[in-house]
Amino acid sequence: SQTIHQWPATLVQPVGSPLSLECTVEGTSNPNLYWYRQAAGRGLQLLFYSIGIDQISSEVPQNLSASRPQDRQFILSSKKLLLSDSGFYLCAWSGPAIYEQYFGPGTRLTVT
Amino acid sequence: QQQVKQSPQSLIVQKGGISIINCAYENTAFDYFPWYQQFPGKGPALLIAIRPDVSEKKEGRFTISFNKSAKQFSLHIMDSQPGDSATYFCAASIRGSTLGRLYFGRGTQLTVWP
């Protein structure tokens, strides 16, 4: 069966510090991968998506970036965090022939 | 532009009652409509999904009703329980697309009182 992992689970970072969030998927090959952000009490905002290694597309211009160094690994990064980057970050995957998206447990990021 | 519009934003239901959440879309290319359930501090979990070739799909106490001509679909939770208290998101996508991107509604926070 497929499993999706995210870490860390929670993170408190000062403004201007770098960020690296990691997502890995097990039990499937060549998944589509997604990064979402959810502000407190808000909906799901798609940030990045990837259909393959080093194939990243951005939905929203911001100071975040994403990379996919391996087939089942997706990384969200920032060189300098802003207060507005606080939120709940969710990674999701879907299969090449699967329409459903499955979400990870999320990372709660607080920028202070 | 919000591709999928969801209402209400919040909903309070008595235990045993019926919870109804509505969604509407404009893009007639959408052909897959899932619902997600999210508990506080957790990632959304796929609850139930429907394709436009059927008008209704039922799984336990959860039912999706789909009206293709009106471009609307809704989630009905029968015999609502306090454990159903969560945020519910509707979504839509195009199955034939390479990306499989989901367009989400803004969510409905459901509270079921005991």
Side-chain angles (χ1 to χ4, degrees):
Chain A
S1 62
Q2 299 87 4
T3 309
I4 181 168
H5 302 280
Q6 285 187 248
W7 62 87
T10 60
L11 191 60
V12 180
Q13 292 284 96
V15 169
S17 64
L19 172 74
S20 181
L21 303 181
E22 189 165 342
C23 169
T24 59
V25 180
E26 296 177 354
T28 187
S29 296
N30 195 29
N32 292 336
L33 296 172
Y34 312 84
W35 277 113
Y36 291 86
R37 178 170 58 200
Q38 187 174 32
R42 303 288 297 275
L44 298 159
Q45 180 187 31
L46 180 63
L47 301 176
F48 299 94
Y49 57 88
S50 171
I51 61 172
I53 294 175
D54 295 329
Q55 299 180 67
I56 312 292
S57 296
S58 173
E59 276 294 303
V60 181
Q62 60 221 324
N63 69 321
L64 299 172
S65 62
S67 61
R68 185 171 175 174
Q70 300 180 42
D71 180 47
R72 291 170 289 177
Q73 184 185 30
F74 207 21
I75 297 172
L76 183 69
S77 304
S78 174
K79 292 182 179 179
K80 289 185 178 182
L81 284 168
L82 306 172
L83 284 174
S84 58
D85 291 325
S86 293
F88 192 45
Y89 286 82
L90 291 155
C91 181
W93 74 274
S94 67
I98 300 174
Y99 318 120
E100 298 89 353
Q101 276 188 30
Y102 297 93
F103 286 82
T107 294
R108 175 75 58 191
L109 172 66
T110 303
V111 182
T112 61
Chain B
Q1 182 184 2
Q2 190 74 14
Q3 296 262 7
V4 178
K5 296 180 180 179
Q6 183 172 347
S7 64
Q9 185 174 352
S10 63
L11 181 62
I12 299 175
V13 173
Q14 200 79 18
K15 178 182 176 182
I18 302 174
S19 303
I20 302 175
I21 303 170
N22 300 300
C23 288
Y25 64 97
E26 287 297 326
N27 188 347
T28 55
F30 288 146
D31 59 0
Y32 172 68
F33 303 90
W35 285 88
Y36 285 82
Q37 179 189 56
Q38 184 181 30
F39 293 105
K42 306 294 184 183
L46 179 64
L47 186 63
I48 186 173
I50 197 169
R51 298 175 185 177
D53 52 344
V54 297
S55 60
E56 186 176 282
K57 182 174 181 179
K58 183 176 181 180
E59 289 186 3
R61 295 184 293 109
F62 299 89
T63 301
I64 300 179
S65 297
F66 185 82
N67 186 329
K68 188 174 182 178
S69 61
K71 291 183 286 187
Q72 295 175 348
F73 58 110
S74 59
L75 176 69
H76 297 236
I77 306 175
M78 312 300 288
D79 186 26
S80 299
Q81 299 296 313
D84 296 330
S85 297
T87 300
Y88 292 82
F89 293 94
C90 63
S93 73
I94 303 170
R95 285 180 291 161
S97 68
T98 303
L99 173 63
R101 177 184 175 171
L102 284 174
Y103 295 87
F104 284 92
R106 293 189 185 277
T108 296
Q109 187 168 355
L110 171 66
T111 302
V112 181
W113 289 101

